[in-house]
Amino acid sequence: MIRLQREDFDVGAELERLTAGNHRIGGVASFIGLVRDMGGSDRVFALTLEHYPGMTERKLAEIEAEARRRWPLDAVLVIHRYGRLKPGDRIVLVATASPHREAALEACHFLIDWLKTDAPFWKSETTSVGERWVEARTEDDAARERWTPPL
Amino acid sequence: MKLLYFAWLRARVGCAEEEVALPPQVRDVAGLLDWLRGRSDRHAEALRSLGLIRVAVNQDYVGPAHPVREGDEVALFPPVTGG
């Protein structure tokens, strides 16, 4: 399941809901992305996320489908926030559930790596030296490439 | 054709979207970017470094040789930075 929202989410409640009533599930893996208070060597006061409505949902659904094709998953949840966030705020939750830990852990890692390079989100930082767009990192492309073959 | 701009491309072009009538000689993404650079100084400046621009046609990532047609939704944006 994919959700895009401005508001925060309750991690405990989301994970509870993800596995409710399914006793085949033996493991849940999760990744939570938070807003850092530093960008390079500058203090970050706020992070504003924008996205491409329509395409974002579509790309995230494709990435979820690819994860389900690769691993036996009972449940997948991706929640991504947009709008203006503060340091310490949650940005994203990726959670996967499977009968066994390996599939859940690997699929969770795959989902966040691919989300970073494929989902159309952009971040702008409000820093001590002004407002600026966060640049894409080549490390993120390398992280994506580990999960070959490509989509 | 509907053009959408995101992140710093929107800021540099000066609008989030615009409707353009495609001239007949523009047939692919590379041709569209070329033609757009001639629309205004702001477009020229925003679209100067093609290496920094990603293109989606009808919400799918495409390369410079991908065809464009009247009625397409074409989005231009910098490399993505979500997560």
Side-chain angles (χ1 to χ4, degrees):
Chain A
M1 184 198 280
I2 305 297
R3 264 161 53 198
L4 287 165
Q5 60 190 52
R6 273 185 192 279
E7 58 275 15
D8 192 16
F9 46 83
D10 179 333
V11 176
E14 296 298 346
L15 297 185
E16 192 79 35
R17 201 171 310 141
L18 193 69
T19 59
N22 185 346
H23 298 154
R24 261 168 47 92
I25 294 171
V28 177
S30 65
F31 173 85
I32 298 153
L34 306 174
V35 179
R36 272 188 301 269
D37 66 357
M38 294 296 284
S41 54
D42 303 310
R43 182 122 210 162
V44 172
F45 301 109
L47 188 71
T48 306
L49 275 127
E50 73 170 78
H51 72 104
Y52 179 176
M55 182 168 173
T56 312
E57 290 87 338
R58 212 172 133 156
K59 293 316 280 188
L60 290 175
E62 279 177 26
I63 298 167
E64 176 184 343
E66 181 66 15
R68 286 181 178 276
R69 200 178 64 75
R70 294 182 183 210
W71 290 279
L73 301 172
D74 280 77
V76 175
L77 175 64
V78 177
I79 304 177
H80 205 300
R81 296 178 67 192
Y82 59 90
R84 191 173 166 90
L85 306 178
K86 297 187 305 301
D89 283 354
R90 284 175 277 270
I91 305 173
V92 61
L93 169 67
V94 177
T96 48
S98 180
H100 300 287
R101 71 180 181 285
E102 197 170 58
L105 287 165
E106 285 183 4
C108 182
H109 197 170
F110 165 86
L111 282 160
I112 187 63
D113 280 351
W114 275 39
L115 181 159
K116 277 200 164 275
T117 56
D118 288 43
F121 288 97
W122 300 273
K123 292 178 181 141
S124 169
E125 294 173 333
T126 309
T127 73
S128 42
V129 291
E131 189 76 25
R132 67 181 178 208
W133 292 98
V134 174
E135 282 180 31
R137 300 161 68 240
T138 50
E139 295 92 316
D140 290 337
D141 291 324
R144 183 196 199 279
E145 292 315 312
R146 274 183 308 167
W147 304 99
T148 52
L151 195 63
Chain B
M1 167 182 288
K2 187 177 179 184
L3 292 170
L4 303 172
Y5 303 102
F6 291 96
W8 56 255
L9 261 161
R10 179 191 60 241
R12 290 190 197 169
V13 172
C15 66
E17 60 176 272
E18 58 183 334
E19 198 66 45
V20 298
L22 212 55
Q25 75 272 19
V26 173
R27 295 199 180 87
D28 56 21
V29 167
L32 174 68
L33 291 170
D34 249 3
W35 175 71
L36 279 174
R37 275 196 292 269
R39 260 173 86 78
S40 76
D41 288 350
R42 295 192 76 145
H43 285 80
E45 150 65 19
L47 303 173
R48 197 161 37 106
S49 305
L50 289 186
L52 296 176
I53 295 168
R54 301 289 176 268
V55 181
V57 172
N58 300 324
Q59 304 189 351
D60 274 319
Y61 293 110
V62 299
H66 191 277
V68 291
R69 294 183 189 87
E70 202 54 64
D72 283 347
E73 175 178 294
V74 179
L76 308 179
F77 45 78
V80 303
T81 56

